[in-house]
Amino acid sequence: MKAVRIHQHGGPEVLRLEEVADPEPGRGEIRVRVAAAGVNFIDVYRRTGYYPVGDLPAILGGEGAGVVDRVGPAVAGVAEGDRVCFWDASGAYAQRVVLPAARAIPLGRSGPDERPMELHVAAALPLQGMTAHYLTRGIRPLASGDTVLIHAAAGGVGLLAVQMAKIAGATVFGTCSTEEKAERARAAGCDHVILYTREDFVAAVHRETGGVGVDLALDGVGRATFEDSVRATRVRGHVVLYGQASGEPEPVRPRKLLGSRTLTSASLADYAGDRDEMLARAEDVFRWFRERRLEVRVDRVLPLARAEEAHRALEGRETSGKVLLTPP
């Protein structure tokens, strides 16, 4: 089969499309014929060596969707021909991927009045959709009347988090870099869009909240925004750091910076590690999509051979929404 592997850590140029042997499922595992694989920052971190990837050479990619084409021993509840998606597999930048059956999310069928769930859409939803879910429903659940600041509001997680915050009844402040991205954030329901290239987002938040700040700040950017995210949050508010697209924040003196605010460093692995919790989050996300309450923006779909281009676009912040790779 064709797969994208790295033989060493480095820039996007280390991604190579190669011919490798088909993987075979072991006990409790299934094999999925991949229709599309999601491209995420965690793939970048593994490519560069910031996150461990195991022995090299290694196939990148953890997220995707497809059809089960082989079932290993001791698997119950999953059969060949089932449509599934996943977010924490190993080696999804490939024509086939093996994963534990317990980590597969069944797609099922849409009802007669519901929107159909295409495999390319399903590949775009698991990681970013469930991330947006735990950010808005898990750590500090949003409710009607709450205020929330969402950085990169036109990004993959951002657009979904904006919509989920509005489903909860919150008022949303979102930061974007360009007017084009700002329009996408507004279309998703963002109440106050702040172009951080033109305006200080802390000042904008304080102006609109009467100097109080937001109840919740969701920061996936890291170093470039973290301290100001805290300053934009009200006393006894909550800041969630769930990514570091601009690098890890500098060391801080918690008492001096945070005061009486709560800071949580979070990862989806800790909010969807249990199968029941994972399926509960996925059920909300996919149900909202089928009911047309949640829209998914796919920024671009590229063939597997152009994985390097996909990584460059993601790292260069050229994307707004999901980037997908499709195997030949």
Side-chain angles (χ1 to χ4, degrees), residues 78 150 194:
V78 184
I150 300 173
I194 306 163

Side-chain angles (χ1 to χ4, degrees), residues 133 137 164 279-289 294:
H133 189 278
R137 298 294 191 278
M164 292 183 195
L279 292 180
R281 293 198 188 285
E283 169 58 26
D284 277 352
V285 173
F286 287 110
R287 174 170 50 82
W288 289 334
F289 174 81
L294 186 69

Side-chain angles (χ1 to χ4, degrees), residues 73-137:
V75 170
V78 184
E80 290 184 16
D82 285 355
R83 301 186 327 140
V84 299
C85 64
F86 50 87
W87 65 276
D88 59 350
S90 179
Y93 289 8
Q95 289 179 299
R96 294 176 179 84
V97 64
V98 165
L99 65 145
R103 302 308 295 166
I105 300 170
L107 293 177
R109 297 182 180 275
S110 299
D113 298 324
E114 294 181 328
R115 178 165 45 185
M117 177 61 67
E118 303 293 342
L119 285 174
H120 280 60
V121 174
L125 268 175
L127 193 147
Q128 292 177 339
M130 290 193 295
T131 295
H133 189 278
Y134 86 75
L135 291 174
T136 58
R137 298 294 191 278

Side-chain angles (χ1 to χ4, degrees), residues 148-162 172-202 204-205 218-219 221 224-225 229 297 316-321:
V148 57
L149 170 65
I150 300 173
H151 286 300
V157 173
L159 286 170
L160 295 169
V162 167
V172 181
F173 294 79
T175 66
C176 296
S177 59
T178 68
E179 186 56 47
E180 181 182 11
K181 291 183 177 182
E183 283 303 314
R184 290 172 188 156
R186 291 188 190 99
C190 194
D191 299 285
H192 304 281
V193 179
I194 306 163
L195 286 173
Y196 66 82
T197 52
R198 302 179 189 173
E199 183 178 16
D200 175 31
F201 71 82
V202 178
V205 167
L218 304 177
D219 193 333
V221 178
T225 55
S229 293
R297 175 178 169 79
R317 300 189 187 181
E318 300 170 11
T319 63
S320 178

Side-chain angles (χ1 to χ4, degrees), residues 11-148:
E13 68 279 358
V14 303
L15 297 166
R16 301 183 191 174
L17 183 66
E18 299 178 335
E19 187 73 30
V20 301
D22 284 356
E24 294 296 332
R27 187 176 182 81
E29 295 180 330
I30 59 173
R31 190 175 72 183
V32 177
R33 187 173 70 251
V34 178
V39 179
N40 300 288
F41 260 101
I42 191 170
D43 304 335
V44 173
Y45 300 149
R46 286 173 175 154
R47 190 202 73 220
T48 60
Y50 184 76
Y51 284 177
V53 74
D55 295 335
L56 297 177
I59 303 172
L60 290 186
E63 180 186 38
V67 178
V68 177
D69 74 353
R70 189 161 296 183
V71 175
V75 170
V78 184
E80 290 184 16
D82 285 355
R83 301 186 327 140
V84 299
C85 64
F86 50 87
W87 65 276
D88 59 350
S90 179
Y93 289 8
Q95 289 179 299
R96 294 176 179 84
V97 64
V98 165
L99 65 145
R103 302 308 295 166
I105 300 170
L107 293 177
R109 297 182 180 275
S110 299
D113 298 324
E114 294 181 328
R115 178 165 45 185
M117 177 61 67
E118 303 293 342
L119 285 174
H120 280 60
V121 174
L125 268 175
L127 193 147
Q128 292 177 339
M130 290 193 295
T131 295
H133 189 278
Y134 86 75
L135 291 174
T136 58
R137 298 294 191 278
I139 298 172
R140 196 287 191 186
L142 289 169
S144 180
D146 284 342
T147 52
V148 57

Side-chain angles (χ1 to χ4, degrees), residues 294-316:
L294 186 69
E295 297 298 328
V296 181
R297 175 178 169 79
V298 176
D299 181 89
R300 64 193 74 183
V301 180
L302 298 172
L304 204 57
R306 292 166 65 183
E308 177 181 340
E309 179 184 337
H311 274 231
R312 291 191 186 280
L314 188 66
E315 289 182 273

